[in-house]
């Protein structure tokens, strides 16, 4: 299995609901807490597994806004795992999820340096590395109704821009989406082979415009205005 | 990349220490360090070990969770950081054995001593090489992902070791001809390798914002980073030094790390006065250390991690 996400940049509206849902679930999840620094101070910041950034693509009049949510891509060639000296970082053989064993991590930051996607953040209060778990503590939880065994970000997305599934299975919904909508990977040239894919904006037809007839003469227009204005 | 002082200090100081040990043990195996007796060799090794240890201790300062540092020995098969840790720890019993042997045999190198000396040399070399490879193995930082990086680490370590050895030889009141000549050759080689490196990183050649975000042909710019203040990612990766500052520090590197020590050593070779020799031989390593600290600071400050592309940088 190759579990991962497919994220549709065509429908994502950049509402950050997935960011909030992720933080809410995971701050009390297996890796939690996700420490906040000065939450009520001047410059609040903190650990997050998922961040949404917004870009303008192309220039006027062809410009378009794209929102790009990013979390761990659970790369197939995950250098973050190979560089880890303690063995705290590992990739599960059964489903490809990349995790950090909080009891082994020594907080050297090397894995964060090795990740191209900014998926790993050091929790400065705890001293260990934290990252997206693909909600490993939800997706296998048999206490939850089947429909809810999905990552928190996927369930919460109001536009259904996020789909979770097995990218190894050619018939899964995620694989079909990637195939049909030309899903792509971020920075494929680095060779990490990220499992998560993004769907590009759809090509929508431009609004129909017909060349208007030439403007009627001034007298014509005055007459038609008069017709409407004067009620017999 | 954010230039962390502990790592800068670690790589410079332990590099010099290992370099000193490499040269001392190497010359020892080849028949003794010219000018230095057993006491001199032992002192040189001791200085090297102290410097290496100071550096290694400093490196643990940048760990956020040093309680688990002992686990760093267990991923030797994949991680260069683990390899560095293993090599540096194996180095200690070997160098202790070597020093004990030197003390017992009064500097004579039988076959056994030569083997131990060789082992010490190889482990010190391997440690410095592994340090360079920690950086060179990161595909995320185009300025580091090159064989030039371990080459620079090795050459600078050897050059600083040679300059230190020259200083020690003079401090023992001996003629430093061999050590100083070695230092001159190494300084020139290291300076050339560094110049090649600076030339090579001059032009951005890494991934672009286009392959990072997706649309590969259109112009892309960031509108919103989605955060109201800097996160860990910005603090760790988004360090930007002003171009002017970089230029000025490169000047410091060329002057303090290469040119001035070179001139001082040439003068040293030409002088007979004991006091002047001592002054020259002691100023050279100090200048070199200043130059190398600047060099290491730049090594970090000029490295551009690809995560910056997501924060709006056009190319890394
Ligand atoms: S996105 Fe980063 S943290 Fe996640 S698997 Fe890939 S390299 Fe590792
Ligand atoms: S920070 Fe922790 S998980 Fe990351 S490389 Fe270091 S020890 Fe491994």
């Amino acid at each position: 299995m190759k579990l991962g996400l497919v994220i549709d940049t065509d429908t994502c509206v950049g509402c950050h609901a997935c960011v909030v849902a992720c933080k809410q679930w995971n701050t009390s999840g297996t890796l939690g807490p996700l420490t906040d620094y000065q939450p009520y101070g001047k410059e609040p910041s903190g650990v997050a597994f998922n961040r949404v950034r917004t870009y303008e693509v192309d220039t006027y009049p062809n410009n378009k806004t794209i929102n790009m949510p990013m979390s761990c891509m659970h790369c197939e060639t995950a250098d973050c795992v190979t560089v880890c000296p303690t063995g705290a970082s590992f990739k599960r053989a059964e489903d490809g999820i990349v995790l950090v064993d909080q009891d082994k991590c020594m907080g050297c930051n090397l894995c964060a340096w090795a990740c191209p996607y900014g998926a790993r953040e050091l929790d400065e209060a705890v001293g260990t590395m934290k990252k997206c778990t693909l909600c490993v503590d939800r997706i296998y939880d048999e206490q939850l109704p089947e429909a809810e065994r999905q990552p928190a970000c996927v369930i919460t997305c109001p536009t259904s821009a996020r789909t979770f599934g097995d990218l190894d299975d050619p018939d899964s919904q995620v694989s079909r989406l990637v195939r049909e909508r030309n899903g792509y990977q971020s920075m494929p040239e680095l060779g990490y082979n990220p499992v998560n894919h993004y769907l590009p904006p759809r090509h929508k037809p431009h609004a129909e415009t017909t060349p208007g007839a030439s403007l009627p003469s001034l007298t014509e227009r005055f007459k038609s205005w008069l017709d409407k204005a004067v009620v017999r | 990349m954010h230039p962390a002082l502990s790592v800068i200090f670690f790589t410079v100081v332990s590099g010099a220490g290992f370099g000193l040990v490499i040269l001392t043990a190497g010359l020892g195996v080849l028949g003794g360090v010219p000018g230095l007796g057993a006491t001199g060799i032992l002192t040189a090794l001791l200085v090297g070990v102290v410097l290496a240890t100071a550096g290694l201790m400093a490196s643990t300062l940048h760990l956020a969770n040093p309680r688990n540092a002992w686990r760093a020995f267990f991923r030797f098969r994949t991680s260069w950081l683990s390899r560095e840790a293993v090599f540096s720890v194996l180095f200690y019993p070997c160098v202790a054995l070597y020093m004990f042997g030197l003390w017992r045999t009064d500097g004579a190198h039988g076959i056994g001593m030569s083997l131990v000396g060789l082992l010490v040399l190889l482990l010190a070399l391997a440690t410095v090489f592994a340090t360079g490879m920690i950086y060179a193995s990161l595909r995320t930082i185009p300025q580091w992902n090159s064989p030039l990086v371990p080459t620079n680490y090795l050459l600078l370590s050897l050059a600083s070791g040679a300059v230190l050895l020259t200083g020690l030889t003079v401090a023992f009141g001996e003629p430093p001809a061999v050590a100083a000549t070695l230092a001159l050759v190494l300084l020139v080689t290291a300076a050339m390798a560094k110049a090649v490196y600076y030339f090579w990183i001059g032009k951005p050649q890494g991934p672009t914002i286009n392959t990072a975000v997706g649309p590969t042909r259109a112009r892309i710019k960031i509108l919103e980073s989605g955060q109201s203040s800097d996160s860990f990612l910005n603090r760790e990766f988004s360090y930007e030094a002003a171009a002017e500052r970089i230029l000025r520090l490169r000047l410091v590197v060329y002057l303090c790390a290469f040119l001035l020590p070179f001139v001082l050593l040439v003068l040293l070779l030409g002088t007979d006065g004991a006091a002047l020799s001592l002054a020259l031989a002691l100023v050279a390593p100090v200048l070199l250390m200043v130059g190398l600290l600047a060099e290491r600071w730049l090594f970090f400050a000029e490295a551009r991690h690809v995560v910056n592309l997501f924060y709006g940088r056009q190319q890394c």
Side-chain angles (χ1 to χ4, degrees), chain A residues 71-81 91 98 111 114-120 131 192 194:
Chain A
S71 50
C72 175
M73 313 265 182
H74 300 281
C75 306
E76 285 187 72
T77 316
D79 275 11
C80 58
V81 172
K91 184 170 172 70
V98 174
C111 56
C115 171
Y117 307 108
R120 293 174 167 253
K131 67 175 286 300
Y192 281 60

Side-chain angles (χ1 to χ4, degrees), chain B residues 14-15 17-19 21-23 25-26 49 52 56 76 80 82-98 114-131 154 157-158:
Chain B
S14 74
F18 282 122
V21 171
I22 291 169
L23 290 176
V49 171
L56 291 170
F76 185 84
W80 280 104
S82 193
R83 288 172 196 162
E84 182 196 43
V86 170
F87 290 142
S88 63
V89 162
L90 287 181
F91 168 79
Y92 281 97
C94 294
V95 80
L97 186 66
Y98 186 54
S114 293
L115 282 181
V116 178
L118 212 58
L119 196 61
V120 168
L121 179 149
L122 286 178
L123 282 171
L125 264 181
T127 310
V128 178
F129 179 68
T131 309
L154 281 172
S157 157
L158 290 176

Side-chain angles (χ1 to χ4, degrees), chain A residues 84-86 88-89 100 105-109 111 129:
Chain A
C84 175
T86 61
S89 284
V100 181
C105 175
M106 66 175 187
C108 67
N109 276 355
C111 56
M129 195 52 70

Side-chain angles (χ1 to χ4, degrees), chain B:
Chain B
M1 298 291 292
H2 167 70
L5 279 184
S6 59
V7 181
I8 292 177
F9 180 82
F10 152 56
T11 53
V12 169
V13 171
S14 74
F18 282 122
L20 181 56
V21 171
I22 291 169
L23 290 176
T24 312
L27 289 173
V29 170
L30 288 178
V33 184
L36 282 189
T39 331
I41 297 185
L42 276 174
T43 316
L45 289 174
L46 193 68
V47 171
V49 171
V50 167
L51 287 178
T53 314
L56 291 170
M57 303 275 261
S59 78
T60 59
L61 287 181
H62 95 285
L63 299 182
N65 193 21
R67 255 175 313 143
N68 276 340
W70 60 275
R71 292 183 186 273
F73 303 114
F74 298 132
R75 280 296 178 275
F76 185 84
R77 280 188 47 215
T78 63
S79 166
W80 280 104
L81 181 49
S82 193
R83 288 172 196 162
E84 182 196 43
V86 170
F87 290 142
S88 63
V89 162
L90 287 181
F91 168 79
Y92 281 97
C94 294
V95 80
L97 186 66
Y98 186 54
M99 287 168 77
F100 179 72
L102 282 174
W103 174 67
R104 285 294 301 271
T105 62
D106 207 25
H109 277 72
I111 180 84
M113 278 298 287
S114 293
L115 282 181
V116 178
L118 212 58
L119 196 61
V120 168
L121 179 149
L122 286 178
L123 282 171
L125 264 181
T127 310
V128 178
F129 179 68
T131 309
M133 282 309 289
I134 293 173
Y135 304 108
S137 64
L138 296 172
R139 285 184 276 177
T140 46
I141 301 169
Q143 290 72 28
W144 288 356
N145 192 6
S146 156
L148 286 174
V149 169
T151 311
N152 273 314
Y153 269 81
L154 281 172
L155 285 174
L156 290 174
S157 157
L158 290 176
S160 43
V163 174
L164 281 176
L165 188 61
T166 313
L168 280 169
T169 316
V170 174
F172 270 91
E174 303 293 340
V178 173
T181 315
L182 202 58
L184 287 178
V185 173
L186 284 167
L187 277 176
V188 172
T189 321
M192 288 197 306
K194 198 69 216 183
V196 170
Y197 175 78
Y198 282 146
F199 178 73
W200 174 73
I201 63 167
K203 194 161 152 251
Q205 46 205 323
T208 63
I209 191 170
N210 291 78
T211 55
V213 173
T216 43
R217 275 184 284 186
R219 224 188 84 86
I220 302 180
K221 68 175 197 226
I222 187 160
L223 293 178
E224 255 312 325
S225 68
Q227 57 200 40
S228 55
S229 55
D230 280 356
S231 69
F232 166 78
L233 297 176
N234 310 106
R235 287 193 291 275
E236 190 73 6
F237 301 119
S238 302
Y239 188 89
E240 281 270 3
E244 208 181 307
R245 189 163 182 207
I246 288 184
L247 223 59
R248 234 181 292 135
L249 278 172
R250 279 195 187 178
L251 210 61
V252 172
V253 173
Y254 280 124
L255 278 180
C256 292
F258 302 126
L259 196 63
L260 291 178
F262 185 86
V263 172
L264 292 185
L265 291 186
V266 170
L267 288 179
L268 175 67
L269 282 177
T271 181
D272 287 329
L276 181 60
S277 294
L278 194 63
L280 289 173
L282 293 186
V283 173
V286 173
L287 276 176
L288 181 76
M289 285 297 128
V290 172
L292 287 188
L293 287 176
E295 184 270 342
R296 219 42 58 87
W297 189 89
L298 279 177
F299 178 72
F300 285 92
E302 290 191 275
R304 295 182 290 269
H305 194 283
V306 294
V307 82
N308 288 304
L309 298 173
F310 297 106
Y311 285 101
R313 180 180 259 286
Q314 292 293 318
Q315 186 168 26
C316 274

